[in-house]
Amino acid sequence: MNLSDNKINFSDLLSPATASSLLQHLTQLDRHTENAPNNRLCLDKDAYLNEWRNQWQELSTTQTDDTHSTESIVDSERLATDWLIQLFNTLFTDQQVILVRSNGEPEYFPAQDNEPARIEFAHGFFASALHEISHWCVAGDARRQLPDFGYWYAPDGRTAAQQQAFERVEIKPQALECLFTLACGRHFQVSQDNLFADFDTSSSTFASDVYQQVESYIAKPHTLPRDAKTLLTALLSVCTSLSEINA
């Protein structure tokens, strides 16, 4: 593994000033978008944003005040994940999709028989939820009709060729995951998901590629997938303090 590449500091990408500017651009894009899909946020935007903001601030205060015992960390993570599930499922309720904890590995199930599509994320982890949401955003309408978005997947222990293919399709999802994560005030690190590689991975530029894609999305927010714009706008509005937004 290329350690210098893996140690890229993604938190540098979204300073308070950059977050504020990005939110302003996303808000302007939303105002000028015709035929945008209806969602619950449009119906009573201020009420939902205020509720989610208050809940997130309370969660953040709890995280700061706790004793960092294993039990308190697990409980804090569970509450944050509950909050994210509520936000996502409310925000995209009209798209017939729900975000769901999985007891095992992540999986996507398309809507069928009047049942909504299910984005199942791994083991109830907040980070896994953001990652699977990112794949849903990138997939678009056509691939959302396919189990697991029609992705080919090989488990950890891939060959060099398989790993290269994996990294190519992961650049945009992990770039979105990075933006969502940073908007929530959390640290982000890329995942090559190949801990047991039996080949030299030092030439991989994956982390740099993800970093550059995030830079591109920030510089050109109109290139973000439709639903990524919606979620990122909500997260920046809710998780960034009012003082930072207005700075």
Side-chain angles (χ1 to χ4, degrees):
M1 180 180 293
N2 185 335
L3 293 179
S4 61
D5 191 54
N6 195 44
K7 290 182 179 178
I8 288 175
N9 186 2
F10 285 89
S11 62
D12 290 341
L13 286 165
L14 206 62
S15 66
T18 302
S20 176
S21 177
L22 179 57
L23 177 57
Q24 290 176 11
H25 282 107
L26 288 170
T27 302
Q28 291 170 358
L29 284 172
D30 182 60
R31 288 171 181 166
H32 292 90
T33 298
E34 296 182 357
N35 301 320
N38 187 29
N39 58 59
R40 288 285 290 276
L41 187 61
C42 297
L43 301 180
D44 197 353
K45 181 176 180 180
D46 290 340
Y48 279 110
L49 289 180
N50 287 334
E51 180 182 355
W52 291 329
R53 184 180 296 115
N54 291 336
Q55 291 173 354
W56 185 254
Q57 289 176 347
E58 184 176 347
L59 286 169
S60 300
T61 300
T62 302
Q63 290 170 358
T64 302
D65 292 344
D66 66 35
T67 59
H68 299 292
S69 67
T70 300
E71 183 178 353
S72 66
I73 292 172
V74 169
D75 188 54
S76 177
E77 183 76 0
R78 178 184 61 78
L79 291 173
T81 307
D82 287 343
W83 174 89
L84 180 60
I85 291 172
Q86 178 190 22
L87 183 148
F88 181 90
N89 289 347
T90 303
L91 199 59
F92 297 106
T93 187
D94 293 326
Q95 295 206 43
Q96 290 191 304
V97 61
I98 55 174
L99 182 65
V100 183
R101 278 186 173 84
S102 170
N103 292 324
E105 296 305 310
E107 191 167 358
Y108 173 76
F109 301 91
Q112 61 178 352
D113 298 329
N114 296 319
E115 293 294 325
R118 296 166 60 89
I119 303 171
E120 295 195 0
F121 59 96
H123 308 291
F125 296 147
F126 190 94
S128 177
L130 289 181
H131 183 78
E132 298 311 315
I133 289 170
S134 300
H135 274 292
W136 178 76
C137 289
V138 169
D141 294 334
R143 285 200 289 117
R144 289 177 186 178
Q145 309 305 312
L146 304 173
D148 273 341
F149 309 114
Y151 276 125
W152 158 88
Y153 182 77
D156 194 350
R158 290 180 283 271
T159 66
Q162 288 174 330
Q163 182 62 22
Q164 289 177 354
F166 169 84
E167 292 182 3
R168 282 196 300 272
V169 299
E170 280 285 313
I171 291 172
K172 288 187 176 181
Q174 291 204 29
L176 291 183
E177 180 190 352
C178 176
L179 281 172
F180 297 152
T181 302
L182 296 180
C184 292
R186 293 187 165 216
H187 296 292
F188 173 80
Q189 186 173 348
V190 296
S191 173
Q192 290 178 298
D193 192 29
N194 206 27
L195 297 175
F196 303 108
D198 60 359
F199 55 89
D200 181 14
T201 62
S202 62
S203 62
S204 173
T205 62
F206 182 56
S208 297
D209 293 338
V210 172
Y211 189 98
Q212 291 172 11
Q213 182 62 59
V214 178
E215 283 188 314
S216 177
Y217 279 144
I218 292 173
K220 303 174 183 177
H222 62 278
T223 63
L224 284 160
R226 177 194 67 202
D227 295 317
K229 292 189 188 83
T230 299
L231 180 58
L232 185 57
T233 301
L235 291 175
L236 287 170
S237 300
V238 169
C239 300
T240 306
S241 70
L242 292 176
S243 61
E244 290 175 341
I245 292 174
N246 296 324

